[in-house]
């Protein structure tokens, strides 16, 4: 009974007609202690659905004003920042779509529903942010050799408005970004924009005082490099989640020790831990025991996994092996 078992054959369809020589325990409780996906769930007076709607509306309005002003002031930093803000509108829309799709129920084709769309949204967000930064750097490099005459005062005023819009939008997602990488993608996108706007404002002040046009593109490059460094971590983590890696918040060895330490368990194999979404984790495991476990064994094991590791979706398969009576 120690052969490798593909977790799909006993988890995804939740087959309760399985041979009773292998006891299954399924836990899908929703009273668990970790954050739910964003969207319709309330986290205080403002839902994340409203946060997305407010953030997108604010940014669309600001993009129009900023690009027009940048064109008038001949500031590549302002126009590039407007382009980056436009990518944020797209990024916020992607994150919102992921959060909305994640709330759809399971179907015969998508037996977990579309919860993994939050992981895909976070990955797209990271890629969008890197592409936007690349475009800013490219345009800035082109302008270093031939700096335009920039109206510093106009740049300062518009960039200051940009800081308020972007920082305000980032604040809407601040409380959710620690527990949900999809919201972290939206948060980082907006925080990055606030940083870019701050850099642009400083460039505007320097140009206003010195009249040196080269400051505008140089500041854009420096700020882009800082944001690239921040975004790289988000990209790495979302790629890991896309490949079903154990979430970074969970220690595989600790989970293994906790399960093998349960009373009556002599061995364990086929332990799989992977993210169902950016906030929900799945576990499957085969426990080898020498005798029938107590009636509450599976429920207690699932409660332990939920409380200690915030793993709410578990499938535990019990296998019996008389040869393990003296320990395996």
């Amino acid at each position: 009974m120690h052969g490798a078992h593909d977790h799909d054959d006993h988890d995804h369809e939740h087959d309760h007609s399985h041979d009773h020589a292998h006891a299954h325990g399924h836990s899908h409780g929703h009273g668990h202690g970790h954050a739910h996906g964003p969207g319709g769930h309330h986290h205080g007076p403002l839902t994340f659905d409203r946060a997305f709607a407010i953030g997108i509306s604010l940014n669309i309005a600001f993009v129009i004003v900023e690009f027009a002003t940048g064109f008038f002031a001949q500031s590549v930093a302002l126009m590039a920042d407007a382009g980056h803000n436009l990518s944020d509108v797209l990024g916020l829309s992607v994150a919102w779509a992921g959060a909305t799709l994640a709330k759809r129920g399971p179907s015969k084709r998508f037996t977990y529903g579309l919860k993994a769309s939050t992981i895909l949204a976070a990955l797209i967000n990271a890629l969008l942010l890197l592409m936007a930064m690349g475009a800013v750097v490219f345009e800035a490099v082109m302008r270093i050799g031939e700096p335009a005459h920039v109206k510093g005062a106009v740049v300062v005023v518009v960039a200051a408005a940009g800081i308020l819009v972007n920082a305000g939008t980032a604040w809407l997602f601040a409380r959710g970004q620690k527990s949900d990488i999809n919201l972290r993608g939206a948060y980082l996108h907006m925080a990055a924009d606030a940083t870019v706007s701050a850099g642009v404002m400083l460039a505007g002040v320097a140009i206003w005082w010195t009249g040196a046009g080269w400051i505008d593109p140089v500041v854009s490059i420096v700020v882009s490099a800082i944001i690239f460094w921040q975004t790289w971590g988000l990209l790495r983590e979302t790629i890991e989640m896309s490949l079903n890696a154990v979430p970074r918040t969970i220690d595989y060895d600790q989970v293994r020790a906790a399960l093998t330490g349960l009373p009556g368990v002599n061995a364990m194999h086929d332990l799989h831990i992977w993210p169902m979404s950016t906030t929900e984790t799945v576990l499957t495991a085969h426990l080898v025991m020498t005798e029938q476990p107590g009636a509450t064994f599976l429920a207690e094991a699932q409660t332990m996994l939920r409380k200690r590791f915030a793993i709410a979706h578990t499938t535990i398969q019990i296998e019996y092996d008389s040869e393990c009576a003296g320990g395996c």
Side-chain angles (χ1 to χ4, degrees):
M1 291 188 182
H2 288 272
H5 295 262
D6 181 12
H7 53 252
D8 288 335
D9 63 7
H10 62 81
D11 184 76
H12 290 256
E13 295 299 331
H14 305 301
D15 185 2
H16 292 279
S17 64
H18 193 282
D19 180 1
H20 281 84
H22 300 283
H24 274 60
H26 299 269
S27 171
H28 301 282
H30 293 284
H32 43 83
H34 69 282
H36 274 287
H41 301 290
H42 286 267
H43 293 253
L46 179 72
T47 66
F48 286 121
D49 272 337
R50 284 190 64 194
F52 280 122
I54 293 168
I56 290 169
S57 300
L58 276 174
N59 276 273
I60 288 175
F62 185 66
V63 163
I64 295 168
V65 172
E66 187 175 33
F67 187 83
T69 311
F71 184 78
F72 162 73
Q74 290 190 300
S75 169
V76 63
L78 270 186
M79 287 189 285
D81 193 29
H84 181 218
N85 267 301
L86 190 59
S87 83
D88 279 343
V89 172
L90 187 57
L92 286 172
S93 301
V94 166
W96 195 5
T100 303
L101 287 172
K103 290 186 285 183
R104 289 181 60 177
S107 66
K108 288 181 180 179
R109 182 159 181 77
F110 298 99
T111 55
Y112 275 139
L114 297 174
K115 293 181 186 294
S117 56
T118 54
I119 298 172
L120 188 59
L123 177 60
I124 292 171
N125 230 324
L127 292 172
L128 280 173
L129 191 47
L130 289 176
M131 288 168 61
M133 289 299 93
V136 169
V137 171
F138 178 78
E139 185 62 30
V141 168
M142 298 293 286
R143 284 291 187 101
I144 285 178
E146 298 177 13
H149 176 67
V150 179
K151 295 179 176 64
V154 177
V155 173
V156 170
V157 173
V158 177
I163 295 173
L164 293 175
V165 169
N166 296 316
T169 309
W171 175 80
L172 295 175
F173 300 102
R175 69 185 182 283
Q177 62 101 11
K178 291 181 181 177
S179 59
D180 184 349
I181 198 173
N182 183 37
L183 291 183
R184 194 187 314 163
Y187 172 80
L188 271 182
H189 227 133
M190 303 318 303
D193 249 15
T195 308
V196 170
S197 294
V200 171
M201 188 178 79
L202 290 175
V205 171
I207 293 164
W208 195 358
W209 285 350
T210 66
W214 59 267
I215 294 173
D216 186 70
V218 168
V219 167
S220 297
I221 292 171
V222 171
V223 170
S224 295
I226 294 169
I227 292 167
F228 176 85
W229 182 256
Q230 290 178 325
T231 308
W232 188 250
L234 175 69
L235 182 64
R236 279 182 56 194
E237 192 170 350
T238 51
I239 288 174
E240 286 175 6
M241 294 181 86
S242 300
L243 295 172
N244 285 346
V246 177
R248 291 187 179 189
T249 54
I250 295 173
D251 187 313
Y252 180 92
D253 291 329
Q254 285 185 13
V255 175
R256 186 175 187 87
L259 286 171
T260 53
L262 292 171
V265 177
N266 286 294
M268 180 178 66
H269 61 96
D270 285 288
L271 172 61
H272 299 289
I273 308 167
W274 72 99
M276 178 193 294
S277 72
T278 52
T279 57
E280 297 175 74
T281 305
V282 185
L283 177 147
T284 64
H286 294 223
L287 304 181
V288 182
M289 308 183 77
T290 53
E291 57 186 33
Q292 182 88 17
T296 60
F297 176 83
L298 289 174
E300 287 172 357
Q302 290 153 1
T303 300
M304 179 273 293
L305 289 168
R306 187 166 62 246
K307 288 184 176 178
R308 282 189 59 185
F309 305 103
I311 300 173
H313 299 263
T314 61
T315 300
I316 296 174
Q317 179 165 316
I318 305 300
E319 299 177 0
Y320 307 111
D321 190 343
S322 59
E323 293 177 7
C324 276
C328 288

PDB file of all heavy atoms in Angstrom, residues 261-279:
ATOM      1  N   GLY A 261       3.347  12.939  13.674  1.00  0.00           N
ATOM      2  CA  GLY A 261       3.275  12.925  15.134  1.00  0.00           C
ATOM      3  C   GLY A 261       1.894  12.614  15.674  1.00  0.00           C
ATOM      4  O   GLY A 261       1.709  12.494  16.890  1.00  0.00           O
ATOM      5  N   LEU A 262       0.911  12.458  14.808  1.00  0.00           N
ATOM      6  CA  LEU A 262      -0.443  12.124  15.255  1.00  0.00           C
ATOM      7  C   LEU A 262      -0.470  10.717  15.844  1.00  0.00           C
ATOM      8  O   LEU A 262       0.263   9.826  15.378  1.00  0.00           O
ATOM      9  CB  LEU A 262      -1.428  12.221  14.077  1.00  0.00           C
ATOM     10  CG  LEU A 262      -1.693  13.620  13.527  1.00  0.00           C
ATOM     11  CD1 LEU A 262      -2.497  13.545  12.230  1.00  0.00           C
ATOM     12  CD2 LEU A 262      -2.426  14.494  14.551  1.00  0.00           C
ATOM     13  N   PRO A 263      -1.301  10.479  16.864  1.00  0.00           N
ATOM     14  CA  PRO A 263      -1.333   9.156  17.518  1.00  0.00           C
ATOM     15  C   PRO A 263      -1.703   8.037  16.547  1.00  0.00           C
ATOM     16  O   PRO A 263      -2.665   8.165  15.782  1.00  0.00           O
ATOM     17  CB  PRO A 263      -2.393   9.331  18.605  1.00  0.00           C
ATOM     18  CG  PRO A 263      -3.208  10.516  18.191  1.00  0.00           C
ATOM     19  CD  PRO A 263      -2.268  11.415  17.471  1.00  0.00           C
ATOM     20  N   GLY A 264      -0.902   6.964  16.572  1.00  0.00           N
ATOM     21  CA  GLY A 264      -1.182   5.798  15.740  1.00  0.00           C
ATOM     22  C   GLY A 264      -0.570   5.843  14.359  1.00  0.00           C
ATOM     23  O   GLY A 264      -0.624   4.858  13.616  1.00  0.00           O
ATOM     24  N   VAL A 265       0.035   6.977  13.966  1.00  0.00           N
ATOM     25  CA  VAL A 265       0.639   7.082  12.628  1.00  0.00           C
ATOM     26  C   VAL A 265       2.074   6.566  12.679  1.00  0.00           C
ATOM     27  O   VAL A 265       2.900   7.043  13.456  1.00  0.00           O
ATOM     28  CB  VAL A 265       0.628   8.547  12.125  1.00  0.00           C
ATOM     29  CG1 VAL A 265       1.331   8.652  10.773  1.00  0.00           C
ATOM     30  CG2 VAL A 265      -0.801   9.050  12.016  1.00  0.00           C
ATOM     31  N   ASN A 266       2.371   5.585  11.839  1.00  0.00           N
ATOM     32  CA  ASN A 266       3.711   5.003  11.796  1.00  0.00           C
ATOM     33  C   ASN A 266       4.535   5.517  10.625  1.00  0.00           C
ATOM     34  O   ASN A 266       5.764   5.515  10.685  1.00  0.00           O
ATOM     35  CB  ASN A 266       3.626   3.471  11.703  1.00  0.00           C
ATOM     36  CG  ASN A 266       3.222   2.852  13.022  1.00  0.00           C
ATOM     37  OD1 ASN A 266       3.960   2.909  14.002  1.00  0.00           O
ATOM     38  ND2 ASN A 266       2.023   2.290  13.066  1.00  0.00           N
ATOM     39  N   ALA A 267       3.870   5.937   9.567  1.00  0.00           N
ATOM     40  CA  ALA A 267       4.593   6.445   8.396  1.00  0.00           C
ATOM     41  C   ALA A 267       3.647   7.300   7.568  1.00  0.00           C
ATOM     42  O   ALA A 267       2.421   7.279   7.763  1.00  0.00           O
ATOM     43  CB  ALA A 267       5.144   5.292   7.561  1.00  0.00           C
ATOM     44  N   MET A 268       4.234   8.035   6.644  1.00  0.00           N
ATOM     45  CA  MET A 268       3.417   8.868   5.765  1.00  0.00           C
ATOM     46  C   MET A 268       4.101   8.951   4.403  1.00  0.00           C
ATOM     47  O   MET A 268       5.325   8.935   4.308  1.00  0.00           O
ATOM     48  CB  MET A 268       3.264  10.275   6.345  1.00  0.00           C
ATOM     49  CG  MET A 268       2.422  11.193   5.459  1.00  0.00           C
ATOM     50  SD  MET A 268       2.193  12.841   6.182  1.00  0.00           S
ATOM     51  CE  MET A 268       3.854  13.455   6.141  1.00  0.00           C
ATOM     52  N   HIS A 269       3.315   9.051   3.344  1.00  0.00           N
ATOM     53  CA  HIS A 269       3.871   9.290   2.014  1.00  0.00           C
ATOM     54  C   HIS A 269       2.864  10.079   1.186  1.00  0.00           C
ATOM     55  O   HIS A 269       1.736  10.337   1.622  1.00  0.00           O
ATOM     56  CB  HIS A 269       4.255   7.972   1.318  1.00  0.00           C
ATOM     57  CG  HIS A 269       3.097   7.029   1.111  1.00  0.00           C
ATOM     58  ND1 HIS A 269       2.388   6.949  -0.059  1.00  0.00           N
ATOM     59  CD2 HIS A 269       2.537   6.122   1.947  1.00  0.00           C
ATOM     60  CE1 HIS A 269       1.448   6.029   0.051  1.00  0.00           C
ATOM     61  NE2 HIS A 269       1.508   5.506   1.258  1.00  0.00           N
ATOM     62  N   ASP A 270       3.302  10.497   0.030  1.00  0.00           N
ATOM     63  CA  ASP A 270       2.453  11.277  -0.878  1.00  0.00           C
ATOM     64  C   ASP A 270       1.860  12.511  -0.212  1.00  0.00           C
ATOM     65  O   ASP A 270       0.664  12.790  -0.337  1.00  0.00           O
ATOM     66  CB  ASP A 270       1.327  10.409  -1.465  1.00  0.00           C
ATOM     67  CG  ASP A 270       1.858   9.462  -2.531  1.00  0.00           C
ATOM     68  OD1 ASP A 270       2.194   9.940  -3.618  1.00  0.00           O
ATOM     69  OD2 ASP A 270       1.963   8.255  -2.244  1.00  0.00           O
ATOM     70  N   LEU A 271       2.709  13.263   0.492  1.00  0.00           N
ATOM     71  CA  LEU A 271       2.255  14.537   1.054  1.00  0.00           C
ATOM     72  C   LEU A 271       2.384  15.604  -0.029  1.00  0.00           C
ATOM     73  O   LEU A 271       3.468  15.852  -0.551  1.00  0.00           O
ATOM     74  CB  LEU A 271       3.103  14.928   2.267  1.00  0.00           C
ATOM     75  CG  LEU A 271       2.854  16.337   2.851  1.00  0.00           C
ATOM     76  CD1 LEU A 271       1.408  16.473   3.331  1.00  0.00           C
ATOM     77  CD2 LEU A 271       3.831  16.632   3.983  1.00  0.00           C
ATOM     78  N   HIS A 272       1.255  16.199  -0.386  1.00  0.00           N
ATOM     79  CA  HIS A 272       1.240  17.264  -1.404  1.00  0.00           C
ATOM     80  C   HIS A 272       0.569  18.495  -0.807  1.00  0.00           C
ATOM     81  O   HIS A 272      -0.502  18.399  -0.202  1.00  0.00           O
ATOM     82  CB  HIS A 272       0.463  16.826  -2.650  1.00  0.00           C
ATOM     83  CG  HIS A 272       1.050  15.625  -3.325  1.00  0.00           C
ATOM     84  ND1 HIS A 272       2.223  15.652  -4.023  1.00  0.00           N
ATOM     85  CD2 HIS A 272       0.594  14.343  -3.396  1.00  0.00           C
ATOM     86  CE1 HIS A 272       2.488  14.457  -4.501  1.00  0.00           C
ATOM     87  NE2 HIS A 272       1.522  13.635  -4.133  1.00  0.00           N
ATOM     88  N   ILE A 273       1.216  19.639  -0.959  1.00  0.00           N
ATOM     89  CA  ILE A 273       0.659  20.915  -0.482  1.00  0.00           C
ATOM     90  C   ILE A 273       0.792  21.906  -1.631  1.00  0.00           C
ATOM     91  O   ILE A 273       1.884  22.099  -2.162  1.00  0.00           O
ATOM     92  CB  ILE A 273       1.440  21.450   0.743  1.00  0.00           C
ATOM     93  CG1 ILE A 273       1.557  20.383   1.837  1.00  0.00           C
ATOM     94  CG2 ILE A 273       0.768  22.704   1.298  1.00  0.00           C
ATOM     95  CD1 ILE A 273       2.567  20.725   2.918  1.00  0.00           C
ATOM     96  N   TRP A 274      -0.319  22.509  -2.031  1.00  0.00           N
ATOM     97  CA  TRP A 274      -0.245  23.454  -3.143  1.00  0.00           C
ATOM     98  C   TRP A 274      -1.338  24.523  -3.015  1.00  0.00           C
ATOM     99  O   TRP A 274      -2.325  24.318  -2.322  1.00  0.00           O
ATOM    100  CB  TRP A 274      -0.340  22.732  -4.491  1.00  0.00           C
ATOM    101  CG  TRP A 274      -1.681  22.182  -4.864  1.00  0.00           C
ATOM    102  CD1 TRP A 274      -2.605  22.757  -5.696  1.00  0.00           C
ATOM    103  CD2 TRP A 274      -2.261  20.931  -4.445  1.00  0.00           C
ATOM    104  NE1 TRP A 274      -3.716  21.954  -5.812  1.00  0.00           N
ATOM    105  CE2 TRP A 274      -3.531  20.827  -5.069  1.00  0.00           C
ATOM    106  CE3 TRP A 274      -1.834  19.896  -3.612  1.00  0.00           C
ATOM    107  CZ2 TRP A 274      -4.365  19.737  -4.867  1.00  0.00           C
ATOM    108  CZ3 TRP A 274      -2.663  18.806  -3.412  1.00  0.00           C
ATOM    109  CH2 TRP A 274      -3.908  18.742  -4.044  1.00  0.00           C
ATOM    110  N   PRO A 275      -1.148  25.668  -3.659  1.00  0.00           N
ATOM    111  CA  PRO A 275      -2.141  26.737  -3.547  1.00  0.00           C
ATOM    112  C   PRO A 275      -3.315  26.537  -4.500  1.00  0.00           C
ATOM    113  O   PRO A 275      -3.121  26.323  -5.696  1.00  0.00           O
ATOM    114  CB  PRO A 275      -1.350  27.996  -3.924  1.00  0.00           C
ATOM    115  CG  PRO A 275      -0.270  27.503  -4.835  1.00  0.00           C
ATOM    116  CD  PRO A 275       0.041  26.101  -4.411  1.00  0.00           C
ATOM    117  N   MET A 276      -4.532  26.571  -3.949  1.00  0.00           N
ATOM    118  CA  MET A 276      -5.728  26.537  -4.792  1.00  0.00           C
ATOM    119  C   MET A 276      -5.972  27.932  -5.371  1.00  0.00           C
ATOM    120  O   MET A 276      -6.426  28.090  -6.494  1.00  0.00           O
ATOM    121  CB  MET A 276      -6.936  26.095  -3.978  1.00  0.00           C
ATOM    122  CG  MET A 276      -8.230  26.078  -4.769  1.00  0.00           C
ATOM    123  SD  MET A 276      -9.680  25.929  -3.704  1.00  0.00           S
ATOM    124  CE  MET A 276      -9.459  24.298  -3.049  1.00  0.00           C
ATOM    125  N   SER A 277      -5.665  28.940  -4.559  1.00  0.00           N
ATOM    126  CA  SER A 277      -5.787  30.336  -4.984  1.00  0.00           C
ATOM    127  C   SER A 277      -4.721  31.116  -4.229  1.00  0.00           C
ATOM    128  O   SER A 277      -3.863  30.524  -3.573  1.00  0.00           O
ATOM    129  CB  SER A 277      -7.187  30.879  -4.662  1.00  0.00           C
ATOM    130  OG  SER A 277      -7.331  31.075  -3.261  1.00  0.00           O
ATOM    131  N   THR A 278      -4.767  32.426  -4.298  1.00  0.00           N
ATOM    132  CA  THR A 278      -3.774  33.227  -3.576  1.00  0.00           C
ATOM    133  C   THR A 278      -4.035  33.254  -2.070  1.00  0.00           C
ATOM    134  O   THR A 278      -3.222  33.764  -1.313  1.00  0.00           O
ATOM    135  CB  THR A 278      -3.761  34.676  -4.112  1.00  0.00           C
ATOM    136  OG1 THR A 278      -5.099  35.185  -4.103  1.00  0.00           O
ATOM    137  CG2 THR A 278      -3.201  34.734  -5.517  1.00  0.00           C
ATOM    138  N   THR A 279      -5.164  32.714  -1.626  1.00  0.00           N
ATOM    139  CA  THR A 279      -5.480  32.721  -0.186  1.00  0.00           C
ATOM    140  C   THR A 279      -5.842  31.345   0.370  1.00  0.00           C
ATOM    141  O   THR A 279      -5.951  31.189   1.575  1.00  0.00           O
ATOM    142  CB  THR A 279      -6.669  33.656   0.116  1.00  0.00           C
ATOM    143  OG1 THR A 279      -7.796  33.233  -0.670  1.00  0.00           O
ATOM    144  CG2 THR A 279      -6.338  35.099  -0.207  1.00  0.00           C
TER     145      THR A 279
END
